[in-house]
Amino acid sequence: MRDLSIEFCGVKFPTPFLLSSSPVSNTAEMIARGFEKGFGGVSYKTLGGENTKIVHPSPRMRSYDYGGKKVIGVQNVEMTTDRPLKDNINDIKWLKKNFPKHAVIGSIMGFSKNEWRDLALTVEDAGVDMIELNFSCPHMSVEGSGMKVGQAFELVREFTRIVRETLKLPILAKLTSNVTDITEPALYAKEGGADGITAINTVRGLAGVGLDDFVPSLNVYGKGAISGYSGPGIKPIGLKCVVELAKKKELGLPISGCGGAETWMDAVEYLLCGASTIQMTTGVIRYGHRVVEDMCEGLSDYMDEKGFKGVKDIVGKALPNIHETSAFDVSRQGAASYDLDRCIGCGQCHIVCQDAGGQSLGWDSKKRRPIPDDEKCYSCMICSFVCPVGDPPVITFKDIKGKKPSIAAPIR
Amino acid sequence: MGKTLRKNNQLTSLFDMEEGYSLTQAVAEADRCLLCHDAPCSAACPAETDPGKFIRKLRLRNLKGAVRTIKENNILGGICAVVCPAGRLCEEKCSSTEIDRPINIGKLQRFLVEYGWQIGFNPLLKKPANGAKVAVVGSGPAGLACAAALSKEGCEVTVFESARKPGGVLRYGVPSFRLDGDFTDREIKDVAALGVKIECGSPVKGRGAVENLLKKGFKAVFVGAGLPAPYKLNIPGINLKNVTTATDFLKAARAGNREKISRLVKNKNVAIIGGGSVAMDAAGTCKALKAAKVYCIALESMRELPAYKDDWLMAVDNGIIIKPQCRVREITGKGGAAAGVKGVETVWKKPGSCLPSNAKDVPGTEFSLAAGAVIIAIGSGPDRGLAEMMPKVKLTGRGLIQVDKKTLATSAKGIYAGGDAARGPALVVDSVADGKKAAGSIIGFLKGAK
Ligand SMILES: Cc1cc2nc3c(=O)[nH]c(=O)nc-3n(C[C@H](O)[C@H](O)[C@H](O)COP(=O)(O)OP(=O)(O)OC[C@H]3O[C@@H](n4cnc5c(N)ncnc54)[C@H](O)[C@@H]3O)c2cc1C
Ligand SMILES: Cc1cc2nc3c(=O)[nH]c(=O)nc-3n(C[C@H](O)[C@H](O)[C@H](O)COP(=O)(O)O)c2cc1C
Ligand code: SF4
Ligand code: SF4
Ligand code: SF4
C-alpha cells in the first residue's frame, strides 16, 4: 500500500478520506472503528449550544431508490447532535488520546456570537486539530442558523471572524450549494479568517411523495418537509462547487470535497477537481466503514498505475481542462459510430434516436439492425446510453473531418 | 481452441471451455449480491476464499483489490472458480437464494482472475529469501498451492513432477471442455512468477527417495502425490481389449494419441461403469469424440448419484443415458474385444447405505447392452509404491499417507503431506487448503529448526 497521507491546512492526514459530520461521526466508538478501516480523519458530528435542546424527528431518513438500485440518495431531517456536550467532549478527548495520528475536526454551529465563541473554545480544549464551521445544514429549524447563515454572507464573515479571534487552530467553513455562486460566501469566509472550505453539505430536496396519503415519503407522523438530500445523486453538484472554489483565484484556499463519494474513483475525481481531502456520509450509510478499505486500496493502485508519488500530486490535475462552454471548438463535429457486428438487435437506439435524438438512425426491420446516418447524426450520444452491449461498447463517438453541424430539417 | 458461449449446455468439441463473464456481466451479477455481513458464502470455502469481500470490491469498482483478495489467498483462484462444485460450497450457502437464486460466485471469481491476467496485474508479493530449500512432490493443486505459499514466505521451492506437464488431475484428468490447458498454463505461470521451480519429467522414485530429499539439502518435503492408481472391477471380461479405466481414458484424451483415443469410442456405443463426476467427465468426453450411445451405469438411484448435479445435468443435456440402480455382472466379448455388457437392476437391502454389498439383484430385470468400449470409473487409489518411497512414513489401511489433521505432518520429521494422497478422493479446493495449511506448518517447523 502506498503512503496515502496528505497535509491539509497544515494538519497531516494519514489518508485523505474523512468521515463527514453526520450520524457516521456521532460517537468515538464508531469513529475509532472507521479509523481502523482506513479513514484518516473525522469531522465530528456538529455540536450546538447547550441551550438548544435537540429532539430528532422520527423517522429521521428516507432512501431514494432507482429501479432495483437502492440508496442512490438519502433525504434526512437530522439536526445538530442530540448528545450532551460533555459526552461529546469526552469522546473527542478519547479519540485524540487513542488515535493521535488521525485528524479530528470539531464541527460547530452556534445561534449567537457568544455561542460560536464558547463552542470554539470548548472543542479547542478537547484537543481537536481543526474547527469546521457549519454554515450549511439545510433544515435547521432555528432562524439565524445553518444554511440560513450560509446564505447571509455577512453573517458568514462575522461568525468566522469571532472564531478566528478566539483561537489559532485552522478553520474550515462548510458551505451550502443552495446559493447561486458558492464562491461568494467562500470569499466572505476567507475575509473572516477561514483557512479552508468544506463543500458541500446536503442539497435541499424531496425524495418522494406517498401516492395514497399525499404526504412526502419521509413521513414524520403525517408531515413532510423539504430537507437535506445527499449521496451519489449529488456528486455532480459537489464536484461543480469544488471546481468553482478551486478556480477562484482570489480565494486560493484548500478544499475538503464532499458529496456522493462512495468509490475510490469518486474520490480521485474530487482530488482531480481540486479537493485535498474527501469527506463522506451516505457511502458509509449505505455500506458501512468497509467502503474506505476499497477507497484506500483503489487509490493506492491508481497512484502506482499513474506514477503519482503522493496524493497531493493528484490535486487539481483536471482543472486546466475545465473551461466555460464558450471555449469549445464547434468547428469540429462527429457522430455516433456503430460496431454492428456485435449488435444484438434490441432496437432501443432507434427508438430513442427517433423520439429524443436527431431522428437520424434508421432501422432495418428484417435484419433487426440500426442504420446509422453520419450526416444527420447530432452526436447527442443518447443511443449509446441505452445500448445494452458493452466491453467494448457497440456505440462510441467518432470524429468526422469536415463535418457540418447537423440541424433538424423543417416539417414537410 | 476458441472459447464459446455454451448454449443449452451442449458440448460441441473436446475444447469448448465455456466463456467467462465480461465486465458488464460481472458488474450486473455483482449488483445482485447482498453484500452480506459475515458472508455465509465466505464461511463455506474450504480454502478460505472470501467471496463476500471480493464481490464487494467488484461492486465498489476496486477491481485490482478484488483480484488481490482472491489471489493472495488462493494461488489457483481461477482454476477453483472453474472446477469447484460451487453449488455444494459457497453458492449453496448464498443468502441470495432466499430472494431468487444464488449469486454466480464461481463466474465472478473467474472473471476477476482473468481480468487480472488481461490487464497484466499480479498482486502477489514475495518476502525476502529466507535461505531454506523445500521440496514438493507432485504438481497437482496441493503441491502447487504449498509451493506458492512457501515461496511467498521466502523459501526456495522445487516441485518434482513425474508427468511431462504440471497440474496433476487438472492437466490429465479434468476434460478440457471444462478446464483447458491454456487456462491451466496461465494460472501455473503465477506460481512460477513467485520463483517456484517446477521440474517436470522428474519422478521421485526408488527406495527412500522422499526421505533422501532431506539429505540433499531440502529442509522439508511436502508430498502431494494424488491418487494415480485406478481401481479395477473383478468381473468376467475385464481384460478384454477396449476395456479401460476413466483415469487412463481421460489422460489419453488430454495428452495421448488423439487419433487412437478417438478410434476407441467414435461411432460406438460406450458403457461407463460408475455414477460419479469422473464417470460424467468420461461420458462427456466420449460424446465430444463422437461416440454413438453412451451409458453411465450406477448402483445408486438418481437421488443418490455421487456426481454433482451440474455434472450429471450436463451429461443428460448431451444425450448421455444414466442407468441408475444397476449392476454390471459381465463384459461380453467378441474376437478378444469388448462387445457389450450384461447386468441387472438392483435395490438396496437396507436403506441408507450405498455400498455395493448392500445392493440386491432384482430377478427378471436382467439386461444386456451392445457396447464396443467399456470404461471403468469406480475411483482411484494411492500409488502402491509410496511405502517404498518413504519407509519411515506411516500409511493408513487404505494406503493413504497418515497425517496429523491440524498440521499435516506425517510420522516422519520434516515430511508433510496433503491433497488426495492424504485425504482420499476430495476436491481441488481441498487440496489447495491442504497445500496452504502444510506451508504454514513447514514455516513453523523451519523457524523451530533454526
Ligand atoms: C477426472 C477427474 C475430474 C475431477 N474433477 C474435479 C472437479 O471438477 N472439481 C474438483 O474440485 N475436483 C475434481 N476432481 C478431484 C481433484 O482433481 C483432486 O481432488 C485433486 O486434483 C487432488 O490434488 P492433488 O494435488 O492431491 O493430486 P493430483 O492432482 O493427483 O496431483 C498429483 C501429482 O503428483 C504427481 N506425482 C505423483 N507421484 C509422484 C512422484 N513420485 N514423483 C513426482 N511426481 C509425482 C502426479 O504426476 C500428479 O501430477 C476430479 C478428479 C478427477 C480424477
Ligand atoms: C443524516 C445526516 C445528518 C447530517 N448532519 C450533519 C451535521 O450535523 N453537520 C454537518 O456539517 N453536516 C451534516 N450532514 C451532511 C454531511 O456531512 C455531508 O456533507 C452530506 O451528507 C454530503 O455528503 P455525502 O453525499 O457523502 O453524504 C448530515 C448528513 C446526513 C445524511
Ligand atoms: S438503522 Fe438502526 S437506528 Fe436506524 S432505524 Fe434501523 S435499527 Fe434503528
Ligand atoms: S441499442 Fe445497441 S444492441 Fe440494441 S440495437 Fe442499438 S446498437 Fe444494437
Ligand atoms: S452469501 Fe451471496 S449475497 Fe451474501 S455476500 Fe455471499 S454472494 Fe453475496
Side-chain angles (χ1 to χ4, degrees):
Chain A
M1 182 76 70
R2 288 239 156 204
D3 175 5
L4 300 181
S5 68
I6 188 161
E7 202 177 286
F8 176 64
C9 297
V11 176
K12 182 153 176 184
F13 289 72
T15 74
F17 308 115
L18 277 64
L19 290 160
S20 72
S21 174
S22 75
V24 305
S25 56
N26 202 38
T27 71
E29 189 274 333
M30 72 204 295
I31 295 166
R33 281 185 286 114
F35 283 173
E36 270 153 16
K37 281 267 183 326
F39 282 100
V42 60
S43 175
Y44 197 90
K45 174 71 191 173
T46 305
L47 309 184
E50 267 188 298
N51 303 333
T52 342
K53 180 97 194 86
I54 299 288
V55 179
H56 277 118
S58 176
R60 210 183 285 194
M61 289 185 232
R62 165 80 196 184
S63 163
Y64 179 51
D65 302 340
Y66 178 77
K69 194 92 191 151
K70 309 251 315 169
V71 201
I72 67 160
V74 164
Q75 188 189 344
N76 85 86
V77 287
E78 180 166 302
M79 313 281 164
T80 48
T81 184
D82 50 13
R83 300 177 71 208
L85 189 60
K86 73 168 191 336
D87 291 357
N88 284 316
I89 295 303
N90 255 337
D91 275 25
I92 292 174
K93 283 186 177 152
W94 182 90
L95 272 177
K96 269 321 304 178
K97 185 161 152 249
N98 289 284
F99 294 87
K101 293 206 169 111
H102 286 68
V104 178
I105 304 172
S107 169
I108 57 172
M109 186 198 291
F111 298 117
S112 65
K113 286 190 193 177
N114 283 344
E115 246 181 34
W116 282 103
R117 180 186 301 119
D118 293 348
L119 281 166
L121 284 171
T122 316
V123 288
E124 183 188 33
D125 240 28
V128 298
D129 304 285
M130 279 193 201
I131 305 259
E132 186 176 81
L133 310 178
N134 183 346
F135 295 138
S136 45
C137 176
H139 47 250
M140 281 307 287
S141 45
V142 187
E143 196 60 48
S145 72
M147 183 186 78
K148 305 219 166 85
V149 175
Q151 290 169 332
F153 303 151
E154 282 84 9
L155 285 180
V156 169
R157 181 173 53 203
E158 190 175 325
F159 291 149
T160 310
R161 181 165 291 151
I162 283 159
V163 177
R164 176 74 300 155
E165 285 162 358
T166 312
L167 44 67
K168 293 235 154 47
L169 290 175
I171 298 174
L172 298 174
K174 183 166 178 181
L175 298 179
T176 174
S177 65
N178 300 307
V179 291
T180 313
D181 177 0
I182 194 164
T183 64
E184 279 191 59
L187 286 169
Y188 276 89
K190 185 183 180 185
E191 271 180 46
D195 303 284
I197 305 290
T198 302
I200 56 177
N201 206 311
T202 52
V203 176
R204 273 169 75 77
L206 195 74
V209 179
L211 299 187
D212 295 323
D213 58 8
F214 319 145
V215 181
S217 49
L218 175 42
N219 178 332
V220 182
Y221 292 98
K223 291 179 183 151
I226 291 170
S227 67
Y229 177 68
S230 60
I234 70 163
K235 191 182 90 179
I237 303 171
L239 285 177
K240 168 208 91 148
C241 290
V242 169
V243 168
E244 286 175 342
L245 292 165
K247 278 191 159 287
K248 193 80 179 176
K249 292 237 162 49
E250 308 92 286
L251 188 65
L253 294 182
I255 303 156
S256 189
C258 186
E262 277 186 2
T263 67
W264 66 270
M265 294 198 251
D266 299 327
V268 169
E269 287 174 316
Y270 267 105
L271 293 168
L272 290 170
C273 284
S276 316
T277 53
I278 300 96
Q279 303 196 16
M280 57 189 294
T281 284
T282 309
V284 180
I285 287 180
R286 172 66 184 89
Y287 297 106
H289 293 135
R290 53 193 178 162
V291 278
V292 80
E293 247 179 77
D294 297 299
M295 293 180 116
C296 290
E297 207 177 8
L299 176 60
S300 166
D301 285 331
Y302 174 79
M303 287 165 65
D304 278 346
E305 193 177 310
K306 299 286 173 203
F308 285 118
K309 292 229 159 47
V311 175
K312 72 170 189 321
D313 302 330
I314 310 174
V315 176
K317 271 272 183 290
L319 292 173
N321 302 323
I322 305 176
H323 304 271
E324 295 298 325
T325 51
S326 56
F328 291 155
D329 178 0
V330 291
S331 71
R332 296 185 64 178
Q333 297 283 327
S337 164
Y338 282 73
D339 173 9
L340 288 180
D341 286 349
R342 295 171 48 259
C343 163
I344 59 166
C346 73
Q348 295 186 78
C349 51
H350 172 68
I351 294 176
V352 300
C353 182
Q354 289 302 315
D355 297 355
Q359 293 138 273
S360 64
L361 196 62
W363 181 249
D364 179 337
S365 50
K366 275 221 191 68
K367 288 197 202 137
R368 292 202 57 83
R369 288 294 177 273
I371 308 168
D373 180 336
D374 284 358
E375 252 339 70
K376 283 202 205 150
C377 172
Y378 275 0
S379 64
C380 60
M381 299 312 291
I382 59 174
C383 51
S384 69
F385 309 164
V386 297
C387 178
V389 185
D391 317 311
V394 166
I395 311 173
T396 49
F397 176 78
K398 69 174 171 197
D399 174 48
I400 297 179
K401 289 228 155 48
K403 182 182 163 177
K404 299 250 153 16
S406 77
I407 297 168
I411 194 140
R412 266 174 285 155
Chain B
M1 291 191 204
K3 286 187 186 141
T4 48
L5 263 186
R6 199 175 277 156
K7 284 219 169 100
N8 310 322
N9 235 352
Q10 289 299 305
L11 288 171
T12 52
S13 87
L14 259 189
F15 310 114
D16 65 343
M17 182 171 167
E18 197 184 8
E19 193 168 297
Y21 277 154
S22 67
L23 177 61
T24 309
Q25 289 170 315
V27 167
E29 186 64 7
D31 256 356
R32 294 180 47 239
C33 171
L34 311 174
L35 304 185
C36 301
H37 174 61
D38 199 4
C41 53
S42 302
C45 177
E48 296 171 311
T49 308
D50 192 347
K53 193 174 218 169
F54 71 70
I55 299 174
R56 183 201 84 209
K57 292 188 173 194
L58 169 59
R59 172 90 156 256
L60 293 172
R61 288 302 187 114
N62 175 10
L63 275 95
K64 286 182 177 174
V67 177
R68 189 179 281 123
T69 297
I70 296 168
K71 290 288 282 194
E72 273 182 352
N73 173 68
N74 180 351
I75 184 81
L76 302 183
I79 287 170
C80 283
V82 173
V83 303
C84 272
R88 286 197 186 174
L89 300 164
C90 51
E91 288 173 19
E92 182 176 41
K93 296 289 183 301
C94 173
S95 317
S96 265
T97 314
E98 309 287 322
I99 294 176
D100 50 0
R101 59 188 196 284
I103 303 301
N104 198 329
I105 298 173
K107 285 196 100 173
L108 288 178
Q109 182 171 330
R110 172 174 168 193
F111 163 77
L112 287 163
V113 171
E114 288 192 301
Y115 174 82
W117 293 338
Q118 193 192 320
I119 63 165
F121 174 65
N122 181 358
L124 299 178
L125 303 173
K126 205 179 138 116
K127 288 192 189 150
N130 62 13
K133 281 169 70 181
V134 181
V136 170
V137 181
S139 67
L144 291 175
C146 184
L150 287 167
S151 191
K152 279 200 282 189
E153 290 297 321
C155 298
E156 190 185 320
V157 187
T158 309
V159 179
F160 297 97
E161 168 57 59
S162 48
R164 266 189 41 240
K165 287 187 168 183
V169 172
L170 304 173
R171 173 85 55 186
Y172 296 111
V174 182
S176 45
F177 56 76
R178 289 211 286 121
L179 173 70
D180 66 25
D182 290 351
F183 196 99
T184 307
D185 282 337
R186 182 59 193 85
E187 194 141 55
I188 292 178
K189 225 166 118 181
D190 291 341
V191 180
L194 284 167
V196 173
K197 269 186 274 166
I198 305 178
E199 299 197 350
C200 289
S202 310
V204 173
K205 63 177 181 197
R207 191 150 184 85
V210 171
E211 285 144 7
N212 284 342
L213 290 168
L214 291 174
K215 295 181 195 143
K216 287 188 192 156
F218 292 105
K219 292 272 181 295
V221 182
F222 174 78
V223 183
L227 300 173
Y231 294 130
K232 293 243 169 81
L233 260 184
N234 199 5
I235 53 172
I238 196 75
N239 293 321
L240 287 164
K241 215 179 127 213
N242 297 349
V243 178
T244 184
T245 62
T247 309
D248 293 339
F249 174 69
L250 289 169
K251 186 191 234 171
R254 291 220 42 178
N257 178 336
R258 265 199 195 111
E259 278 298 301
K260 197 171 142 205
I261 192 71
S262 164
R263 242 180 290 129
L264 176 68
V265 298
K266 193 168 176 183
N267 298 328
K268 291 183 193 166
N269 291 356
V270 184
I272 295 168
I273 301 175
S277 287
V278 174
M280 300 303 146
D281 276 349
T285 303
C286 290
K287 271 289 171 189
L289 290 170
K290 307 277 184 296
K293 277 185 173 283
V294 178
Y295 301 92
C296 285
I297 304 165
L299 269 182
E300 297 86 357
S301 68
M302 284 309 280
R303 203 171 44 81
E304 296 155 336
L305 219 56
Y308 295 112
K309 194 167 183 188
D310 284 350
D311 293 343
W312 69 254
L313 277 178
M314 179 154 164
V316 169
D317 284 346
N318 282 282
I320 287 147
I321 302 159
I322 300 176
K323 281 181 77 66
Q325 293 228 277
C326 288
R327 183 208 300 279
V328 173
R329 289 165 161 173
E330 177 187 356
I331 303 171
T332 56
K334 197 172 162 191
V341 294
K342 283 190 171 165
V344 61
E345 293 185 14
T346 57
V347 287
W348 300 122
K349 292 176 195 159
K350 284 177 296 179
S353 155
C354 294
L355 290 173
S357 56
N358 189 35
K360 185 172 75 183
D361 297 351
V362 180
T365 60
E366 293 77 7
F367 63 88
S368 72
L369 301 168
V374 177
I375 300 174
I376 316 295
I378 57 165
S380 262
D383 184 349
R384 296 190 231 325
L386 284 179
E388 199 203 353
M389 271 154 55
M390 32 191 214
K392 290 203 197 106
V393 173
K394 279 203 190 110
L395 303 181
T396 69
R398 291 158 67 199
L400 299 170
I401 305 172
Q402 193 175 309
V403 290
D404 175 321
K405 286 220 164 56
K406 276 209 204 87
T407 62
L408 300 185
T410 67
S411 53
K413 202 173 148 200
I415 301 181
Y416 294 75
D420 283 4
R423 286 177 181 257
L427 295 174
V428 172
V429 68
D430 293 318
S431 297
V432 169
D434 280 2
K436 283 169 43 180
K437 190 196 270 185
S441 309
I442 291 172
I443 292 297
F445 169 73
L446 293 174
K447 281 197 184 124
K450 253 183 203 164

